[in-house]
């Protein structure tokens, strides 16, 4: 309804306007807030990373102090040199050396509680181990020992860090540890052994895990060669290490399509690099609450605006709704419609104009309708009169030929008698009632006349369904179609002429088929005839085509209109089938209504 449509347009327009305003406002607030929040988080995160780097540096310097005690201890150097120079290194001698080293290194367990195990090797590869107070000994396999020695290559006595997986009795089958190894050189830079210390990952984890609280924060500790010493990153982390190596200071980078806050600091002396990352995904998601609040506020405003428009518009649009209702009635044909005017505004002017227009239309329709009916009756009568002389001319021409040839007078008399019956039927009132049965009897007389003209070459087959015999039809509707077969289809034919007439019911339609085996028509000729059915009743009929076919098409169009009419199927030298489709009427007067 118009009222609902107009109300809907008002509601939709205001809703879109309100929603756009709130969305723009919410998005702007969300963007500004996110930028300020990210900037503040970046500053705090960079500061925390800097402090954690300082603590890592302090931890490493303490380790240097502890290992310096071992490396530069003269008695330890003496034990390792002596063990390397012995030709016969018996189990007893190694046991004595182990006992002496243990006494010297007891202080280490006090200064380094996170130390799990320590190994001291001489230059010949003979090793001595030391365990902490907890009694946790990390076994050093030949493969791990070889890996540690390779990591020491190129170093000059500094600590070299390396994460290792050591076989253990744990459920995973191994234990993650961090090794710190260095060449043992005296003050003269003479190499006399190797020192290997094993620490649990907590040596750095206790410092760095505090920085990486939460599942969106991760840390990576790199040595001077950018090799990972410690990390809490999971294998499926959002970032790749190579994406972070070029980062300087603190910045936001894109990795795997995700925004990551990265802070990087380097220790002053040890050359260690600490990289901490923080995914901004959760921060962005939490910040979207502002945008969602703006969106919900917009929706609530739309609801309130819709209610306001509905209740106020119901009263304001009532006169317009009344006008629309009257126009619908007028469009449906109720030309006596008038509307009641209850306002004194612009809509009242429209109401008065509508009432005047309806009155004028009612007067004009009555006048035009009466005139159209008279014109239609006159045209039907003219078409009927047009048909009679044409039919009479063709029939008299046949009788003339018979008399001229001097054939049997009895046969000529029979032709005259048939013609008399045909004329009596044709000259009746065109509005008089006729049935399919009467029309078939009429057409049978016509065929009898034409069969005399053709001779023994005509074969006729007529089939009428019993249920269709008493149905009303237009008078003389079949004769032009049958005549067309004799005048055009069978002209100049020497073979047997076959004419079939079939009347039947099909889906509440009355169908009449007239088929012949004549010379047929081209598709262009068929299209020219069929174009007559698509002309408006006000248009004059074309002069192309036979007068009989034009008469049938014109009469069906006047009486019934679309979708009823004539359907033609024809091919050259293959005959023609004309199918007349008519409505099933209970009485002829009913067929008058279009």
């Amino acid at each position: 309804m118009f009222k609902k449509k107009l109300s809907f347009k008002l509601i939709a327009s205001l809703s879109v306007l309100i929603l756009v305003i709130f969305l723009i406002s919410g998005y702007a607030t969300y963007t500004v807030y996110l930028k300020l929040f990210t900037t503040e988080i970046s500053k705090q995160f960079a500061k925390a990373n800097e402090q954690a780097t300082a603590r890592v540096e302090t931890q490493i310097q303490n380790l240097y102090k502890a290992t310096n005690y071992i490396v530069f201890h003269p008695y330890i150097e003496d034990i390792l040199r002596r063990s390397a120079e012995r030709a016969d290194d018996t189990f007893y001698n190694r046991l004595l050396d182990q006992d002496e080293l243990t006494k010297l290194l007891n202080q280490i367990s006090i200064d380094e509680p996170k130390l799990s195990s320590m190994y001291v090797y001489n230059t010949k590869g003979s090793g001595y181990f030391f365990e902490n107070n907890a009694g946790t000994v990390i076994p050093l396999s030949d493969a791990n020992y070889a890996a540690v020695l390779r990591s020491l290559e190129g170093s000059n006595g500094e600590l070299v860090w390396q994460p290792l997986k050591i076989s253990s009795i744990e459920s995973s089958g191994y234990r993650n540890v961090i090794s710190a190894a260095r060449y043992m050189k005296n003050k003269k830079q003479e190499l006399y052994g190797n020192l290997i210390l094993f620490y649990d990952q907590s040596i750095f984890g206790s410092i760095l895990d505090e920085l990486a609280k939460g599942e969106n924060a991760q840390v990576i500790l790199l040595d001077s060669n950018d090799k990972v010493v410690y990390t809490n990153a999971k294998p499926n982390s959002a970032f790749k290490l190579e994406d972070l190596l070029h980062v300087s200071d603190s910045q936001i980078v894109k990795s795997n399509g995700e925004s990551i806050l990265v802070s990087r600091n380097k220790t002053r002396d040890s050359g260690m690099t600490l990289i901490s990352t923080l995914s901004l995904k959760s921060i962005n998601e939490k910040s979207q609450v502002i945008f969602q609040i703006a969106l919900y506020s917009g929706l609530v405003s739309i609801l309130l605006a819709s209610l306001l428009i509905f209740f106020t518009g119901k009263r304001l649009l009532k006169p317009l709704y009344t006008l629309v209702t009257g126009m619908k009635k007028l469009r449906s044909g109720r030309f006596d419609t008038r509307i009641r005017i209850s306002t004194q505004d612009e809509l009242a002017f429209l109401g008065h104009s509508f009432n005047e227009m309806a009155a004028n239309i009612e007067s004009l329709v009555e006048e035009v309708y009466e005139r159209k009916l008279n014109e239609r009756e006159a045209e039907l009568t003219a078409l009927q009169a047009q048909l009679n002389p044409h039919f009479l001319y063709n029939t008299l021409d046949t009788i003339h030929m018979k008399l001229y040839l001097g054939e049997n007078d009895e046969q000529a008399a029979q032709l005259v008698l048939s013609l008399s019956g045909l004329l009596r039927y044709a000259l009746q009132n065109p509005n008089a009632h006729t049935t399919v049965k009467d029309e078939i009897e009429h057409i049978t007389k016509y065929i009898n006349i034409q069969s005399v003209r053709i001779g023994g070459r005509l074969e006729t087959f007529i089939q009428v369904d019993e249920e269709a015999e008493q149905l009303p039809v237009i008078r003389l509707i079949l004769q032009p179609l049958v005549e067309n077969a004799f005048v055009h289809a069978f002209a100049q034919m020497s073979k047997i002429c076959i004419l079939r007439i079939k009347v039947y019911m099909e889906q509440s339609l009355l169908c009449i088929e007239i088929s012949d085996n004549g010379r047929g028509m081209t598709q262009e000729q068929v299209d020219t005839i069929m174009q007559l059915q698509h002309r408006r009743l006000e248009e004059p009929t074309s002069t192309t085509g036979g007068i009989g076919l034009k008469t049938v098409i014109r009469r069906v169009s006047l009486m019934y209109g679309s979708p009823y009419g004539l359907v033609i199927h024809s091919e050259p030298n293959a005959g023609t089938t004309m199918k007349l489709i008519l409505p099933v009427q209970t009485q002829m007067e009913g067929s008058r209504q279009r």
Side-chain angles (χ1 to χ4, degrees):
M1 294 176 9
F2 187 82
K3 178 183 177 183
K4 292 184 178 179
K5 288 184 178 179
L6 185 58
S7 299
F8 175 78
K9 289 179 181 178
L10 291 174
I11 294 174
S13 301
L14 287 179
S15 299
V16 171
L17 180 62
I18 293 172
L19 190 59
V20 169
I21 292 175
F22 275 88
L23 286 178
I24 293 175
S25 175
Y27 183 76
T29 304
Y30 160 74
T31 304
V32 172
Y33 170 80
L34 183 61
K35 184 176 181 180
L36 293 175
F37 187 73
T38 303
T39 302
E40 185 63 25
I41 287 292
S42 300
K43 292 180 181 179
Q44 296 180 8
F45 197 64
K47 186 66 175 179
N49 192 76
E50 183 180 355
Q51 294 173 353
T53 304
R55 290 198 296 270
V56 169
E57 176 69 8
T58 301
Q59 178 70 32
I60 293 175
Q61 293 303 323
N62 291 336
L63 292 178
Y64 268 108
K65 291 179 182 179
T67 56
N68 285 342
Y69 170 79
I70 300 172
V71 171
F72 297 114
H73 198 291
Y75 192 53
I76 295 176
E77 180 182 356
D78 182 63
I79 293 175
L80 292 179
R81 287 185 180 277
R82 188 172 64 242
S83 65
E85 293 171 355
R86 281 198 299 261
D88 184 15
D89 192 9
T90 63
F91 175 75
Y92 179 74
N93 290 332
R94 287 179 55 79
L95 189 61
L96 291 176
D97 291 341
Q98 177 75 45
D99 186 58
E100 290 182 30
L101 287 173
T102 301
K103 292 178 181 179
L104 292 172
L105 299 177
N106 275 336
Q107 185 64 32
I108 298 297
S109 65
I110 299 174
D111 296 337
E112 293 295 327
K114 297 178 182 178
L115 178 65
S116 297
S117 298
M118 179 174 62
Y119 288 84
V120 179
Y121 288 87
N122 59 29
T123 54
K124 293 298 182 64
S126 296
Y128 304 90
F129 73 90
F130 170 78
E131 62 181 1
N132 65 358
N133 293 333
T136 303
V137 178
I138 297 179
L140 182 62
S141 65
D142 293 339
N144 287 330
Y145 178 62
V148 172
L149 289 183
R150 285 195 299 271
S151 67
L152 288 174
E153 294 177 359
S155 64
N156 194 28
E158 67 272 12
L159 284 171
V160 177
W161 300 87
Q162 184 179 12
L164 292 175
K165 291 183 177 181
I166 304 297
S167 298
S168 70
I169 60 174
E170 297 178 4
S171 59
S172 62
Y174 58 86
R175 179 181 179 189
N176 291 320
V177 297
I178 298 176
S179 69
R182 63 183 293 186
Y183 285 135
M184 299 182 72
K185 294 182 178 181
N186 56 22
K187 295 180 180 180
K188 296 179 181 181
Q189 292 298 300
E190 296 174 341
L191 179 64
Y192 66 89
N194 300 313
L195 176 62
I196 302 175
L197 301 95
F198 286 108
Y199 291 93
D200 188 82
Q201 288 191 330
S202 62
I203 186 174
F204 295 121
S206 60
I207 299 174
L208 301 180
D209 288 349
E210 184 69 20
L211 178 64
K213 281 185 176 180
E215 59 180 9
N216 297 313
Q218 296 171 336
V219 293
I220 305 174
L221 183 63
L222 306 175
D223 62 11
S224 57
N225 296 319
D226 287 336
K227 293 182 179 180
V228 178
V229 175
Y230 171 82
T231 180
N232 69 342
K234 299 180 176 62
N236 58 348
S237 298
F239 61 83
K240 296 179 180 178
L241 180 60
E242 54 268 22
D243 296 336
L244 307 179
L245 293 179
H246 67 280
V247 176
S248 59
D249 298 330
S250 180
Q251 59 180 280
I252 297 175
V253 300
K254 287 281 188 179
S255 182
N256 291 338
E258 186 175 333
S259 298
I260 300 175
L261 176 62
V262 181
S263 183
R264 177 180 178 132
N265 292 95
K266 193 169 185 178
T267 58
R268 185 178 66 255
D269 298 323
S270 62
M272 289 281 197
T273 300
L274 176 61
I275 300 177
S276 56
T277 68
L278 178 64
S279 174
L280 298 178
K281 181 178 180 180
S282 61
I283 297 177
N284 293 339
E285 291 175 351
K286 293 178 181 178
S287 301
Q288 288 179 355
V289 173
I290 299 176
F291 184 73
Q292 293 174 356
I293 291 175
L295 178 61
Y296 294 147
S297 300
L299 295 177
V300 172
S301 301
I302 290 173
L303 177 61
L304 295 177
S306 301
L307 293 176
L308 180 63
I309 293 173
F310 177 76
F311 289 110
T312 57
K314 187 175 182 181
R315 180 178 179 183
L316 294 175
L317 299 177
K318 185 176 180 180
L320 189 59
Y321 169 69
T322 302
L323 179 61
V324 171
T325 302
M327 295 181 71
K328 287 183 178 180
K329 293 180 180 179
L330 187 65
R331 187 174 63 180
S332 65
R334 297 172 60 180
F335 301 112
D336 59 343
T337 300
R338 303 292 184 271
I339 63 173
R340 186 173 63 87
I341 300 171
S342 58
T343 62
Q344 299 298 325
D345 51 15
E346 291 83 354
L347 292 177
F349 173 76
L350 292 177
H352 288 297
S353 300
F354 172 80
N355 289 338
E356 293 177 3
M357 179 187 67
N360 292 334
I361 291 176
E362 184 179 14
S363 176
L364 289 174
V365 165
E366 290 178 357
E367 179 181 348
V368 172
Y369 183 72
E370 291 295 334
R371 184 174 63 186
K372 204 68 177 177
L373 286 177
N374 294 332
E375 290 177 355
R376 187 171 169 189
E377 290 292 336
E379 184 170 6
L380 285 173
T381 303
L383 287 173
Q384 182 81 26
Q386 185 183 41
L387 173 64
N388 294 334
H390 180 67
F391 165 70
L392 181 61
Y393 170 80
N394 288 332
T395 305
L396 291 175
D397 183 60
T398 301
I399 296 174
H400 171 264
M401 290 300 298
K402 283 292 180 182
L403 294 175
Y404 180 78
L405 295 175
E407 295 182 357
N408 192 339
D409 292 341
E410 183 179 352
Q411 190 178 41
Q414 186 63 36
L415 286 176
V416 173
L417 184 61
S418 297
L419 176 60
S420 174
L422 291 179
L423 290 177
R424 188 182 304 108
Y425 181 83
L427 293 176
Q428 292 181 18
N429 186 346
N431 297 326
H433 177 81
T434 190
T435 63
V436 171
K437 182 178 180 181
D438 295 338
E439 193 72 7
I440 292 297
E441 290 178 356
H442 167 74
I443 208 64
T444 302
K445 294 177 181 179
Y446 176 79
I447 293 174
N448 291 335
I449 294 174
Q450 294 293 350
S451 65
V452 174
R453 181 179 169 187
I454 295 178
R457 293 186 296 109
L458 177 64
E459 294 184 5
T460 305
F461 302 92
I462 300 177
Q463 178 183 348
V464 181
D465 288 354
E466 184 177 352
E467 60 180 353
E469 286 185 347
Q470 299 303 321
L471 292 178
V473 292
I474 304 174
R475 184 177 297 276
L476 291 176
I477 196 66
L478 298 184
Q479 188 269 335
L481 302 180
V482 175
E483 181 183 15
N484 187 75
F486 287 102
V487 174
H488 299 286
F490 297 151
Q492 300 178 354
M493 276 185 58
S494 58
K495 62 179 182 179
I496 296 298
C497 301
I498 300 176
L499 179 67
R500 300 179 186 273
I501 301 176
K502 182 179 180 181
V503 183
Y504 59 94
M505 299 283 292
E506 185 179 82
Q507 297 180 352
S508 300
L509 296 174
L510 175 60
C511 300
I512 304 174
E513 290 185 4
I514 299 176
S515 305
D516 63 68
N517 65 336
R519 62 182 182 179
M521 294 183 287
T522 64
Q523 188 60 43
E524 182 179 359
Q525 290 173 316
V526 173
D527 293 340
T528 300
I529 296 173
M530 296 306 295
Q531 286 176 1
L532 297 174
Q533 288 194 116
H534 304 296
R535 296 180 182 273
R536 294 171 54 91
L537 292 182
E538 291 79 3
E539 297 178 357
T541 56
S542 172
T543 57
T544 60
I547 187 173
L549 287 182
K550 289 192 297 183
T551 301
V552 171
I553 293 173
R554 185 67 169 167
R555 294 179 70 193
V556 172
S557 178
L558 282 170
M559 295 296 292
Y560 305 120
S562 179
Y564 309 105
L566 186 64
V567 178
I568 301 177
H569 299 285
S570 183
E571 294 182 8
N573 302 319
T576 302
T577 297
M578 295 187 180
K579 183 177 180 180
L580 192 61
I581 302 175
L582 303 174
V584 175
Q585 301 287 341
T586 57
Q587 54 182 359
M588 283 299 295
E589 198 62 34
S591 65
R592 293 270 180 194
Q593 303 301 324
R594 290 288 301 273

